[in-house]
Amino acid sequence: MSLKIKDYYVAKTIDECLEILQSHEGRARVIAGGTDLVLDLKNKKKETDVLVDITRIAALRELRYDDPYVYVGAAVTHAEIAKSPIIQKYAPLLSKACGMMGSPQIRNIATIGGNIVNAMPAADGALALCTMGAEVQIWSKREARWEKIEDLYLGVGRSKVNPTNELVTKIRFRPLGGKTGFSYQRLARRKALSLPIVNVAAIVQLDPLCTTFERVSIFIAPVSPVPLRARELENKLCGMAASETSIKQASAIVREIVNPRDSLRGSAAYKREMAKVLVQRALTEALRVAKNRCKDEKPRNITTRHS
């Protein structure tokens, strides 16, 4: 099935992209990697007359740490994020999630901005970013604004970002600090080229003494039309002893807060049970990482000799 596109533009700047979108009054659409968009156009799920390629816009290809934020351009690919020393150092959760998405060929093309705007609840990179409290910068001809990624979802495949007149330019988030652990868990029929049955991203931060949970962030998908933030579980864990026993006790409520549906990838009952298993597994691994960081931060014994 061929694409019926009248024009294809390659924008060199953000302003040029927005001008092209505005001039076509809703009949032009942004494209980067196109791994999802091209299929949607072929299957008539989406329609457009004009495509505006943003992969040549230098500002969308940057990846840098500028205290207090890490900035990732919207046109940076999943493979580039997974391999980036900056991401591996400051956001290893994102590196792991992006490295598990699709196949090597897809990761080399698919961009993180597209992963967000496509608004699929189980998107690996976007799920990790939600857990990190990441924000995106959205440009239109009227304004540039920052919004939290978790607030952009309107439903399955529906985003607040309108790709016919708006452009996601970059993502920002704070590095994972000390006494903080993370985990990304993904259950699929095979390791690559398969959509997840359930995926979970978790971050835990321990108190200064490393004995209790001080802050917890957990996102689960696809168990609702949008990435599900497990706030009830987060609130329950905060203040509890930092132990596997606490995790096991608190994770029991996962079955009650998720609302999966039957699909070819598994029944609702199976997904509900697996959500609990993966949440418990993710929190246990995140706790282990956090406690290892606590050990690394403890000062070594220093012997001072007096003459």
Side-chain angles (χ1 to χ4, degrees), residues 32 36 43 122 131 148 153 161 175 177 183 194 219 232 261 266 287 306:
D36 289 310
N43 295 326
T131 312
K148 293 189 73 172
Y153 291 85
V161 180
S183 178
S194 183
F219 276 79
E232 298 92 333
R261 60 182 179 86
L287 175 60
H306 298 276

Side-chain angles (χ1 to χ4, degrees), residues 34-304:
T35 52
D36 289 310
L37 178 58
V38 171
L39 291 176
D40 287 343
L41 292 173
K42 285 183 176 181
N43 295 326
K44 306 298 182 181
K45 291 182 179 179
K46 294 176 181 176
E47 294 182 357
T48 191
D49 293 332
V50 176
L51 291 175
V52 186
D53 189 325
I54 61 170
T55 57
R56 304 287 180 86
I57 301 177
L60 307 189
R61 302 281 304 146
E62 294 180 347
L63 199 165
R64 60 190 170 86
Y65 173 58
D66 187 3
D67 192 26
Y69 292 108
V70 175
Y71 292 91
V72 181
V76 178
T77 68
H78 285 69
E80 290 167 336
I81 292 172
K83 296 175 184 177
S84 165
I86 293 174
I87 301 300
Q88 291 173 352
K89 178 179 180 180
Y90 294 114
L93 172 64
L94 181 61
S95 174
K96 184 176 181 180
C98 287
M100 297 175 74
M101 191 277 288
S103 66
Q105 295 90 336
I106 293 174
R107 291 195 292 272
N108 283 329
I109 298 173
T111 63
I112 193 64
N115 202 235
I116 294 167
V117 177
N118 198 43
M120 299 306 291
D124 296 289
L127 193 71
L129 288 167
C130 285
T131 312
M132 296 163 58
E135 301 173 304
V136 293
Q137 188 180 55
I138 304 165
W139 279 73
S140 69
K141 289 297 290 183
R142 299 187 308 274
E143 61 177 356
R145 69 186 189 277
W146 288 95
E147 290 203 35
K148 293 189 73 172
I149 293 175
E150 65 178 286
D151 295 334
L152 296 180
Y153 291 85
L154 298 176
V156 178
R158 297 172 54 233
S159 172
K160 285 174 64 177
V161 180
N162 184 345
T164 69
N165 59 34
E166 293 182 319
L167 176 65
V168 168
T169 56
K170 57 188 170 185
I171 300 103
R172 72 179 182 188
F173 51 83
R174 294 179 183 272
L176 297 180
K179 302 181 179 65
T180 301
F182 69 93
S183 178
Y184 189 79
Q185 301 291 326
R186 193 180 199 270
L187 175 65
R189 294 189 181 277
R190 54 180 182 237
K191 291 185 178 180
L193 289 170
S194 183
L195 294 172
I197 299 170
V198 178
N199 50 347
V200 174
I203 296 174
V204 301
Q205 180 177 323
L206 306 184
D207 73 308
L209 297 178
C210 295
T211 57
T212 61
F213 290 107
E214 186 172 84
R215 188 179 71 86
V216 181
S217 179
I218 307 166
F219 276 79
I220 313 168
V223 293
S224 69
V226 302
L228 176 67
R229 183 168 188 178
R231 292 186 183 274
E232 298 92 333
L233 179 54
E234 293 174 359
N235 294 336
K236 189 169 185 177
L237 272 173
C238 287
M240 293 183 72
S243 69
E244 292 187 25
T245 300
S246 296
I247 290 171
K248 188 174 182 180
Q249 291 174 352
S251 297
I253 68 171
V254 171
R255 293 191 192 94
E256 302 169 10
I257 62 179
V258 299
N259 186 29
R261 60 182 179 86
D262 293 324
S263 72
L264 294 175
R265 282 177 274 166
S267 67
Y270 176 70
K271 293 177 185 178
R272 187 174 289 109
E273 185 62 30
M274 288 302 98
K276 184 189 80 69
V277 171
L278 262 63
V279 164
Q280 189 170 324
R281 191 178 297 171
L283 288 170
T284 300
E285 182 179 38
L287 175 60
R288 182 171 65 251
V289 173
K291 288 199 168 183
N292 286 338
R293 287 188 168 187
C294 285
K295 293 177 184 178
D296 292 341
E297 286 190 359
K298 287 183 178 179
R300 298 176 181 177
N301 291 329
I302 301 176
T303 301
T304 303

